[in-house]
Amino acid sequence: MALFAFASPAHAEWWEARTDHFIVYSESSSADAKKFAEKMEQLDMSLRSLQNVKFSPVTSESQRLTVFRFGDVDDISRLVPGAAGFYIPNLSGSNAFTPAKSDSRSTGALLGSTGDSEKKKLDPEKVLFHEYTHHFMFQHFEAAYPRWYSEGFAETVATIVMKPDGSFHIGDPPNYRSDLLFQSMLNVSVERMLTSQNKPTGEDFYSWYSVGWLLNHYLTFGPNRQGQLKQYLRAIKSGVKPADAARQTFGDLGKLDKEINKYKGSGKLGGIDVRIANFAPPVAQMRQLAPDEEATMKVRIRTKAGVNKKLAPNAARDARVVAERYPNSYAAQLALADAELDLAEFQPADLPRAEAAADRALAAKPDSVDAMILKGRALLERGKTDKAQLAAARTWFTKAYNRDPEHPAPLYYNYLTYYEAGGNIPESAIVGLEKAYDEALYDDQLKLVLTRQLLSEKKGPTARSILMPMAINPEFGDSYKKYAEVSDLIAAQKVDEAYKLLATTMAEDDRKRRSGDDD
């Protein structure tokens, strides 16, 4: 059986649309892809206006968000069951996935609404706006956001209405969550949402999006508690536990719960209008994909969406089929190298295939940073059992860095070559790791590696601030409890114990992932 299939015509056009901060691959017409990419760029402008983030041109291709736009909602949910769109942060370039076509079925039942009204159907565009808000916040702000706020703020942006003159309206209710907001309220109180440290239930999950939206709206637009949201977030960033920060900032949480329940029925949930100064309409640069590039799209989408031990063999098999059809194609060989490297994490014997495909991609395009990184990563994996390969891996990461000094991946993997080698790690490699973190605040694995390094240097407070976003997020499951324990050990000035616990947790998580125990 095919890995997955798009609900599309026998041959659909694929277009690449580039703007200042996006690369969109769209299975649609040129005009449709262009309009979509320009709308995404305007969303970025709107968020910059809201968050007072200055425009800055990208200095590395890795800084652009790649959006794969294809099929319908059913096709998206084949990648992630129940999803109408999703976002995957990645050192080598983050990716988002969204439908190119409207589907005939309502996604309301999946997303918290059960009626037949068109207003209760979730527009996939709103999902993408929600997911891009996550990317924007993680990319630009070094902060520890509790999950309710992260999702509640993203839902606030999801319903943004942008106008041709650059102005926009923000704050409209997410009608697709109306049943949760205005009827059941999920039986999740504000106190539970703000203070629970247990593994989240499905009800908790939905509360982040609905009750979280309402609380964020009230604290942002309501007249009675102005300034408290910033105070609460600052307290968490400083190391105060979220439950304590909530009680210190908001006082009686039962009273707050009553206030937002009254607020939701007040008819004052309309938000505000904002005008962007000196607005210039964005313009996307268009290019139709060549046949070999089109042939790789299904494999690229599957690989970039993430594979586990069960899915990796299928992705690699499909990539081989495309690469055999286009043996001299850079796009096909790069996609194959990526898929083979994913498989090699579960089946190390596949590493020679990954390295060979990277070599063919480099032969087709010698200046490819992506191919250099994949070649280096294959050698790094080999170096975990054959230390002699680590120096060779390092040369490829150096080449990639020289070609693109703002790309975080070469710096991160270069550091790992020294870590895997054992012994002292050069100061230059540690500085590179810190720079990679600055360029990729959204990457959780990088956070863990840098935290571990800082703990080895006895830099407890700095390590704790970097770990904090993961130490307050129960969605990380059992590992979250370990991260929280590491944070507590640092606060108690037991840095050596914190280092041992984090290193052990990271090693165990890696073992589970490679063995498929966490699928």
Side-chain angles (χ1 to χ4, degrees):
M1 294 179 64
L3 187 59
F4 66 98
F6 300 150
S8 60
H11 178 76
E13 292 182 348
W14 278 92
W15 289 87
E16 177 190 88
R18 284 178 175 261
T19 64
D20 289 322
H21 299 96
F22 297 88
I23 302 172
V24 175
Y25 292 108
S26 186
E27 186 190 33
S28 63
S29 68
S30 173
D32 179 66
K34 179 179 173 66
K35 180 180 179 181
F36 174 85
E38 290 171 354
K39 191 170 189 177
M40 290 303 299
E41 190 65 37
Q42 188 173 346
L43 174 63
D44 180 86
M45 294 177 180
S46 301
L47 281 168
R48 288 173 188 274
S49 177
L50 275 178
Q51 298 296 318
N52 196 29
V53 175
K54 292 182 179 179
F55 172 85
S56 57
V58 299
T59 54
S60 168
E61 281 294 279
S62 65
Q63 295 168 355
R64 286 188 170 92
L65 177 68
T66 297
V67 181
F68 292 97
R69 187 169 176 259
F70 61 95
D72 58 22
V73 170
D74 287 336
D75 294 309
I76 298 295
S77 64
R78 289 189 183 99
L79 293 172
V80 175
F86 59 99
Y87 160 71
I88 303 288
N90 191 285
L91 274 177
S92 294
S94 296
N95 303 281
F97 305 80
T98 191
K101 298 183 296 183
S102 299
D103 70 327
S104 58
R105 67 180 178 87
S106 170
T107 56
L110 291 172
L111 297 149
S113 178
T114 57
D116 294 327
S117 168
E118 286 297 316
K119 289 184 178 180
K120 291 187 176 183
K121 292 183 180 180
L122 177 60
D123 179 354
E125 184 178 83
K126 291 181 172 60
V127 175
L128 184 59
F129 286 3
H130 175 111
E131 297 299 334
Y132 183 65
T133 303
H134 287 318
H135 176 75
F136 185 91
M137 298 299 287
F138 297 155
Q139 185 179 40
H140 293 290
F141 298 100
E142 183 184 12
Y145 299 120
R147 187 64 189 275
W148 77 263
Y149 173 73
S150 177
E151 301 300 349
F153 178 73
E155 280 294 85
T156 301
V157 177
T159 59
I160 191 172
V161 178
M162 295 179 291
K163 302 174 184 178
D165 65 356
S167 63
F168 59 92
H169 179 84
I170 189 166
D172 286 347
N175 289 317
Y176 44 88
R177 302 203 192 277
S178 60
D179 290 345
L180 298 178
L181 277 170
F182 297 102
Q183 294 179 28
S184 70
M185 279 293 287
L186 293 157
N187 296 317
V188 175
S189 67
V190 167
E191 182 169 13
R192 171 175 158 181
M193 188 178 71
L194 292 176
T195 63
S196 176
Q197 298 183 39
N198 297 323
K199 185 176 181 179
T201 65
E203 197 170 43
D204 290 321
F205 179 84
Y206 284 123
S207 75
W208 296 334
Y209 294 81
S210 53
V211 182
W213 174 86
L214 183 61
L215 179 57
N216 178 67
H217 199 285
Y218 178 59
L219 296 173
T220 301
F221 302 114
N224 299 327
R225 292 179 179 259
Q226 288 296 308
Q228 287 191 359
L229 181 57
K230 288 184 179 179
Q231 182 182 344
Y232 164 74
L233 295 174
R234 277 197 296 266
I236 293 174
K237 184 178 180 180
S238 71
V240 179
K241 291 186 176 181
D244 293 335
R247 294 188 178 99
Q248 291 171 14
T249 305
F250 305 129
D252 183 345
L253 299 182
K255 181 175 183 294
L256 177 60
D257 194 54
K258 292 178 181 178
E259 287 178 23
I260 70 163
N261 274 282
K262 181 178 179 181
Y263 181 69
K264 74 175 182 178
S266 67
K268 298 178 180 179
L269 303 178
I272 58 172
D273 293 308
V274 181
R275 181 173 296 277
I276 299 176
N278 304 316
F279 173 75
V283 178
Q285 303 300 316
M286 304 301 300
R287 179 178 73 88
Q288 186 171 6
L289 298 192
D292 61 320
E293 293 175 298
E294 284 193 4
T296 68
M297 290 309 295
K298 291 182 182 180
V299 170
R300 286 186 65 191
I301 288 169
R302 176 68 271 179
T303 301
K304 299 302 183 185
V307 294
N308 56 23
K309 188 175 183 178
K310 295 177 182 177
L311 295 175
N314 291 334
R317 180 205 64 203
D318 291 354
R320 290 168 197 157
V321 171
V322 176
E324 286 173 5
R325 286 171 54 198
Y326 299 98
N328 300 316
S329 162
Y330 164 73
Q333 298 304 326
L334 188 73
L336 177 60
D338 209 357
E340 297 284 15
L341 193 56
D342 281 343
L343 179 58
E345 290 198 54
F346 309 106
Q347 300 178 18
D350 201 61
L351 275 170
R353 286 178 179 268
E355 189 176 349
D359 286 337
R360 291 191 293 271
L362 284 164
K365 190 175 180 181
D367 62 351
S368 167
V369 172
D370 290 335
M372 292 174 190
I373 292 171
L374 289 173
K375 170 76 172 181
R377 285 179 58 198
L379 291 168
L380 173 59
E381 282 294 314
R382 288 176 57 190
K384 292 178 180 180
T385 54
D386 177 7
K387 302 300 183 185
Q389 301 299 323
L390 295 172
R394 208 169 291 142
T395 63
W396 286 103
F397 298 136
T398 300
K399 289 179 181 179
Y401 171 78
N402 289 337
R403 184 73 185 175
D404 187 351
E406 304 304 318
H407 198 310
L411 297 169
Y412 171 74
Y413 291 117
N414 179 68
Y415 167 87
L416 290 184
T417 64
Y418 289 104
Y419 179 81
E420 292 295 337
N424 293 328
I425 299 175
E427 183 66 21
S428 60
I430 297 172
V431 170
L433 179 65
E434 292 169 347
K435 181 181 178 183
Y437 170 73
D438 289 338
E439 296 291 342
L441 298 174
Y442 47 79
D443 191 275
D444 291 330
Q445 186 61 28
L446 197 160
K447 288 189 183 92
L448 292 174
V449 170
L450 180 55
T451 299
R452 183 182 62 192
Q453 173 60 37
L454 290 168
L455 288 175
S456 74
E457 300 174 26
K458 316 296 185 186
K459 297 178 180 178
T462 304
R464 187 170 187 249
S465 69
I466 291 171
L467 183 64
M468 189 61 65
M470 304 175 72
I472 66 170
N473 189 348
E475 196 180 16
F476 285 98
D478 292 338
S479 294
Y480 143 76
K481 295 180 181 178
K482 297 293 186 181
Y483 303 150
E485 189 176 344
V486 170
S487 177
D488 290 343
L489 286 169
I490 298 171
Q493 299 185 353
K494 298 179 179 179
V495 174
D496 290 340
E497 291 181 38
Y499 173 83
K500 290 177 183 177
L501 178 58
L502 180 60
T504 300
T505 301
M506 291 172 65
E508 179 61 14
D509 287 348
D510 185 62
R511 185 200 66 76
K512 287 181 179 179
R513 181 179 58 80
R514 290 174 183 267
S515 67
D517 291 347
D518 64 347
D519 290 349

